[in-house]
Amino acid sequence: MTDRKTMLAQMTRRRMLLGSAGLTVAFGMLPGSLFAQDPISVAGIYTVPVEQQWVSRIHVAAEAAAEQGLITYTFSENTANTDYPRVMREYAEQGVQLIVGEIFGVEQEAREVVLDYPDTAFLLGSSFMPDPEYPNLAVFDNYIQDASYLSGIIAGAMSETGNIGMVGGFPIPEVNRLMHAFMAGVREIKPEAEFQVSFIGSWFDPPKAKETAFAMIENGADMLYAERFGVSDAAQEKGILAIGNVIDTQSDYPDTVVASALWDFGPTLAAALARIGDGSFAADNYGLYSFMKEGGCSLAPLGTFDGKIPQDALDMVAAKQAAITSGEFTVEIDDSEPTSS
């Protein structure tokens, strides 16, 4: 991995800018009795570095909870799928009360571990809904389609050609629904927009994502959807615009990243801690805490692009956001694999 120290510094800066206020609100909603209890022991198990977009949001939320004294927190990163069950067992054997992470590539093996440790709570990213046969396993993923849709409206307004490139990791529901929501937002402004869609087969391969994005630019794209790290680098080098995903990277690409759909894991973690605290933790779908109306996602501040986006697009974003928050408008959740048009 290139210049890990620099990437960690960037992540720390983003955490300071983006995470503190929302996480404080989320944990501030916890019952007062939880603050009086001993900290809940939490372990994170991640298959990628903690600076990777998706995992970074879990990591940042856990660190914030630890700073507030609600939890003790340790983690393992770059855990291979083949090692994941073993690491789960090691933390459970140590008496960790809550294990968080993602099991998209090791679903069945992880569930076998869960059954062996009924007194341990597991909150794991998964492509499947909760199953009462695994009563101590709650699942989640980043249902941030609301914010992705809004970012698509902005992308449609800022793209001159309507040719938009989209680079994703894998075509799994967690990625597919965000891409579809983004595309729906774009079409609100540019109904005839065309999309180039490609998946790189990795959660963390910036060079491959960059090369894929370069090919899309050569094929006419003037706007990129950066679901993976590396895409915004290609946009910056070629002088076109990009839309970010999960975290706000505009400080790193001030002339490139127009807007980003942000994921806040704080409400998800806060809900789990509250239920562990009162003894009610059970198999449940925590993905709902990522919805905009729950405070789990938002559109990043426009920052350097403030005043550069057409007002009619901003008016539409404001109206749609109000409707989403009030429940008057629902962004469609489409988990099917998106394809190029």
Side-chain angles (χ1 to χ4, degrees):
M1 182 170 54
T2 59
D3 200 353
R4 176 180 175 82
K5 189 175 295 184
T6 298
M7 295 185 74
L8 285 171
Q10 291 174 347
M11 178 183 167
T12 300
R13 182 171 68 251
R14 292 171 192 143
R15 177 171 65 247
M16 293 173 60
L17 293 174
L18 303 171
S20 301
L23 294 170
T24 299
V25 171
F27 296 128
M29 297 174 66
L30 289 170
S33 59
L34 186 57
F35 287 85
Q37 297 175 1
D38 291 334
I40 294 170
S41 57
V42 177
I45 310 174
Y46 311 120
T47 61
V48 293
V50 292
E51 53 271 309
Q52 187 260 10
Q53 300 106 299
W54 198 89
V55 159
S56 75
R57 306 315 293 156
I58 305 172
H59 183 66
V60 165
E63 286 194 323
E67 289 171 3
Q68 294 186 44
L70 297 173
I71 68 173
T72 61
Y73 175 56
T74 186
F75 67 93
S76 298
E77 60 183 329
N78 293 314
T79 303
N81 284 332
T82 52
D83 286 337
Y84 208 96
R86 174 185 60 79
V87 179
M88 289 175 68
R89 291 183 184 279
E90 288 179 354
Y91 280 128
E93 292 286 349
Q94 293 170 21
V96 169
Q97 293 168 275
L98 173 65
I99 294 177
V100 299
E102 10 80 61
I103 56 171
F104 301 109
V106 62
E107 296 277 358
Q108 187 54 47
E109 295 89 341
R111 281 171 171 72
E112 293 173 4
V113 175
V114 165
L115 290 178
D116 290 339
Y117 299 93
D119 295 328
T120 304
F122 294 85
L123 178 62
L124 301 171
S126 171
S127 294
F128 296 92
M129 288 293 102
D131 186 338
E133 293 188 8
Y134 306 91
N136 55 327
L137 170 60
V139 299
F140 71 90
D141 57 37
N142 59 328
Y143 281 91
I144 64 170
Q145 65 280 345
D146 299 329
S148 297
Y149 169 80
L150 297 180
S151 72
I153 294 174
I154 292 175
M158 296 297 284
S159 171
E160 295 182 4
T161 66
N163 186 330
I164 296 176
M166 307 180 68
V167 181
F170 292 92
I172 64 172
E174 290 69 24
V175 175
N176 298 345
R177 72 174 65 106
L178 306 188
M179 286 188 162
H180 279 296
F182 172 82
M183 295 161 79
V186 170
R187 293 188 180 109
E188 293 283 9
I189 298 291
K190 283 188 168 56
E192 303 303 321
E194 296 183 353
F195 299 93
Q196 303 178 56
V197 180
S198 183
F199 298 92
I200 64 172
S202 172
W203 292 129
F204 196 78
D205 191 343
K208 187 173 183 179
K210 184 177 180 180
E211 288 303 315
T212 302
F214 275 148
M216 292 178 174
I217 296 170
E218 292 177 3
N219 199 35
D222 72 343
M223 170 72 70
L224 296 176
Y225 176 74
E227 199 270 329
R228 294 291 99 196
F229 276 150
V231 177
S232 294
D233 294 285
Q236 180 175 252
E237 288 187 24
K238 296 297 184 178
I240 69 169
L241 301 177
I243 298 292
N245 180 58
V246 175
I247 61 175
D248 186 359
T249 57
Q250 193 183 80
S251 61
D252 301 314
Y253 309 95
D255 299 318
T256 302
V257 175
V258 183
S260 298
L262 306 184
W263 182 31
D264 184 350
F265 190 72
T268 304
L269 181 59
L273 295 179
R275 294 179 187 178
I276 291 172
D278 65 18
S280 65
F281 188 89
D284 204 351
N285 176 20
Y286 279 69
L288 301 178
Y289 292 102
S290 293
F291 282 36
M292 183 169 285
K293 63 183 180 181
E294 299 293 340
C297 69
S298 62
L299 197 61
L302 296 177
T304 54
F305 282 86
D306 190 17
K308 299 178 183 179
I309 298 170
Q311 189 59 47
D312 60 342
L314 295 179
D315 292 342
M316 179 180 290
V317 167
K320 292 291 188 180
Q321 180 169 331
I324 290 169
T325 303
S326 70
E328 296 176 11
F329 176 73
T330 300
V331 176
E332 181 183 1
I333 296 175
D334 184 349
D335 289 347
S336 65
E337 181 176 343
T339 58
S340 299
S341 56

